[in-house]
Amino acid sequence: MASDINYQDGPDFSRRDESPAEDEPIHSPGSPRQTEYERIGGRTGSSFLQTLIHLLKGNIGTGLLGLPLAVKNAGLVLGPLSLLAMGIVAVHCMNLLVRCAHHLSPFLSYGDAVEYGMENVSWLSRHSLWGRRVVNMFLNITQLGFCCVYFVFLSDNVKQVVETANGTTGNCHNNQTAVIVPSYDSRLYMLFFLPFIIVLVFIRNLKYLAPLSLVANISMCVSLVLIYYYCLTNIPYPINLPLAGRGVDYPLFFGTAIFAFEGIGVVLPLENKMQNPRNFTTVLYLGMGIVTTLYISLGTIGYIGFGEHIRGSITLNLPLCWLYQAVKLLYSFGIYITYALQFYVSAEILIPPAVARCGPRWALMVDLSIRVALVVLTCALAILIPELDLVISLVGSVSSSALALIIPPLLQIITFHNEDMKLWVMVKDIGISLIGFVGFVAGTSVVLKQFYLHSVCCFSLFLLIYIFK
């Protein structure tokens, strides 16, 4: 969800998908500094409760709505257990990042921490700048990947509302409508949203989005409450679902789950903004405990409620009555506003170097042109893979696994390797990174295979239509 920590002081990186990363000159470890998004505790910092709220808002987004399908891919028992294990490992990796950053220098971003850590290793120090660049690359992939997900989410949900508008009733106990009017392909809906999103990202100062962000947060919270209410009041009996899914589908579960748990980018900025950063560990464990509980509960009851018919977003399974049609539109509005917040991070990384190379006369034109190009790129990628579950799994497998599982344990090894690190700790760190790498390879390959099959089927269908037209 969108967050509103401080729109006046600079970019808002206080949500799970937003992490500051900017190309700066190399600094030696131990040299304290503070970038524009950081706040050094004190009276101006965030309180315990404020930080907890920001952490919760930063980890609850579209990934939550895709978890019922993830549980289907893993199984009714294996899925929740895997979510619990992944939540524990993800929180552990977040804590590792905080510990490493504290050891290296105060007020570091994720990329800075990796760069400083590599400077601790003689044979890596010459290439330490590439550590930050790799993190920035994965952050950009993650941010723009989330923007692709938002295009697909908006098109799927609005398309369903439009197609069922003529037959939508006030009866929410019957998940059917009298008349379903076929409309345009979901890709055309993406193109319809394209100019509106371009106009949205032209707002270069986030403080002007603060009122809309507040409304978006409220609308998404109301939507989630209604989704939980429907799922809890419509659990079928008896429950006859597989306890474990097919092995070939488990990588899809991994991609979706790590997509949801990829909140590590928000950890250091939130801790830097706390009035008392020593309490951040408590905030982290409490907040992520709540998040993990929400993930497991909605993933499980959503799968139980809709069974084998569960779709890429649980909103697409809700009854076609006015109440739950409004839920889809409310959540879609929240996602529309959130697009600008996700986009802002990549824009702040990619645009300033390009603007710096041109004169002041062309600065605004270059800025807006890059924004248009990035939005068009995310729309084009969404059009290429218009399946919400595949896009979520792909983004999770490619970038979220690297940021959340692979890099933090390796950072601990290079940060503390000269300080009598215990063998079991090193083995544990290597094991977590290997799990992340296996998930990265397996998840990406399975998604790309399904994308290939989807493309072949679509091409064959269009060919048959053309032949027999």
Side-chain angles (χ1 to χ4, degrees):
M1 292 182 185
S3 179
D4 50 321
I5 285 183
N6 195 327
Y7 291 98
Q8 288 75 27
D9 294 342
D12 176 22
F13 295 104
S14 53
R15 42 173 291 111
R16 74 174 185 125
D17 313 320
E18 296 168 8
S19 178
E22 53 280 275
D23 289 328
E24 301 168 353
I26 298 179
H27 297 261
S28 60
S31 60
R33 61 200 172 112
Q34 184 182 8
T35 55
E36 65 178 52
Y37 66 87
E38 293 163 347
R39 186 188 301 159
I40 308 178
R43 295 180 179 178
T44 59
S46 303
S47 66
F48 183 98
L49 181 60
Q50 288 173 327
T51 306
L52 177 63
I53 292 174
H54 293 321
L55 183 67
L56 291 174
K57 289 196 297 183
N59 280 272
I60 299 175
T62 53
L64 173 63
L65 303 180
L67 287 177
L69 179 60
V71 172
K72 173 192 172 184
N73 290 327
L76 186 59
V77 173
L78 184 59
L81 291 178
S82 298
L83 282 176
L84 177 61
M86 189 169 291
I88 293 173
V89 174
V91 175
H92 176 67
C93 289
M94 293 177 185
N95 195 40
L96 288 183
L97 179 61
V98 172
R99 289 179 53 200
C100 292
H102 283 178
H103 183 81
L104 293 168
S105 182
F107 314 116
L108 297 180
S109 69
Y110 195 165
D112 294 333
V114 173
E115 179 185 350
Y116 281 28
M118 291 178 65
E119 290 179 358
N120 278 342
V121 183
S122 58
W123 58 277
L124 290 176
S125 59
R126 294 178 57 186
H127 310 286
S128 60
L129 182 60
W130 281 99
R132 178 153 52 90
R133 288 174 175 172
V134 168
V135 171
N136 286 354
M137 178 190 70
F138 281 118
L139 285 170
N140 277 318
I141 294 174
T142 301
Q143 298 304 126
L144 296 179
F146 284 128
C147 291
C148 294
V149 170
Y150 292 165
F151 262 110
V152 182
F153 181 90
L154 287 170
S155 66
D156 285 351
N157 282 270
V158 173
K159 179 176 185 290
Q160 187 182 75
V161 172
V162 171
E163 289 183 343
T164 58
N166 290 339
T168 301
T169 67
N171 180 14
C172 294
H173 300 288
N174 187 1
N175 194 13
Q176 293 180 352
T177 57
V179 179
I180 297 180
V181 180
S183 64
Y184 302 106
D185 186 87
S186 61
R187 297 173 179 87
L188 294 179
Y189 281 87
M190 297 180 198
L191 292 176
F192 170 79
F193 282 114
L194 180 59
F196 296 96
I197 292 179
I198 290 176
V199 171
L200 183 68
V201 301
F202 278 174
I203 303 176
R204 296 185 294 165
N205 194 330
L206 288 183
K207 70 179 181 181
Y208 298 119
L209 282 175
L212 289 176
S213 177
L214 176 61
V215 176
N217 288 334
I218 295 173
S219 65
M220 294 171 76
C221 286
V222 171
S223 299
L224 283 177
V225 170
L226 291 173
I227 291 171
Y228 265 96
Y229 172 79
Y230 180 82
C231 291
L232 289 172
T233 55
N234 288 273
I235 297 178
Y237 295 98
I239 300 173
N240 186 23
L241 297 171
L243 303 182
R246 301 185 305 164
V248 69
D249 293 331
Y250 195 83
L252 295 175
F253 162 84
F254 175 87
T256 304
I258 199 61
F259 175 96
F261 274 112
E262 200 285 291
I264 196 167
V266 73
V267 169
L268 292 180
L270 281 180
E271 195 227 7
N272 290 334
K273 294 173 183 176
M274 279 197 74
Q275 293 175 358
N276 188 355
R278 288 176 294 181
N279 293 331
F280 183 74
T281 301
T282 304
V283 173
L284 180 63
Y285 287 135
L286 176 60
M288 292 308 298
I290 296 173
V291 168
T292 303
T293 301
L294 290 175
Y295 284 0
I296 295 174
S297 60
L298 185 61
T300 304
I301 63 175
Y303 177 42
I304 291 175
F306 298 107
E308 296 299 319
H309 302 290
I310 190 67
R311 301 179 64 178
S313 171
I314 194 173
T315 55
L316 299 174
N317 289 98
L318 293 175
L320 303 177
C321 64
W322 288 116
L323 175 63
Y324 290 103
Q325 298 289 60
V327 166
K328 298 167 192 174
L329 294 177
L330 284 174
Y331 214 98
S332 296
F333 172 76
I335 291 300
Y336 170 71
I337 299 301
T338 303
Y339 185 103
L341 302 177
Q342 309 292 9
F343 181 87
Y344 195 87
V345 181
S346 292
E348 287 300 297
I349 296 173
L350 299 174
I351 293 178
V355 171
R357 296 178 181 179
C358 66
R361 180 181 178 183
W362 298 100
L364 180 60
M365 181 63 68
V366 171
D367 185 311
L368 298 181
S369 298
I370 294 177
R371 291 174 185 271
V372 172
L374 290 176
V375 174
V376 172
L377 174 64
T378 59
C379 181
L381 293 175
I383 289 174
L384 287 175
I385 315 178
E387 299 294 329
L388 186 61
D389 54 327
L390 294 184
V391 179
I392 289 177
S393 294
L394 182 61
V395 175
S397 299
V398 171
S399 57
S400 300
S401 58
L403 293 173
L405 297 180
I406 299 176
I407 296 177
L410 297 180
L411 178 60
Q412 184 185 33
I413 293 176
I414 63 177
T415 300
F416 297 101
H417 72 285
N418 289 327
E419 302 187 16
D420 298 326
M421 176 180 284
K422 295 181 180 179
L423 179 62
W424 72 267
V425 175
M426 188 172 296
V427 171
K428 178 262 299 178
D429 287 343
I430 294 175
I432 293 175
S433 292
L434 285 176
I435 292 173
F437 181 74
V438 170
F440 166 83
V441 174
T444 303
S445 61
V446 170
V447 171
L448 292 179
K449 180 180 178 181
Q450 292 208 9
F451 167 60
Y452 171 76
L453 294 175
H454 178 270
S455 301
V456 171
C457 291
C458 290
F459 177 77
S460 301
L461 179 60
F462 288 138
L463 185 62
L464 288 174
I465 293 175
Y466 177 78
I467 293 175
F468 293 103
K469 185 177 180 180

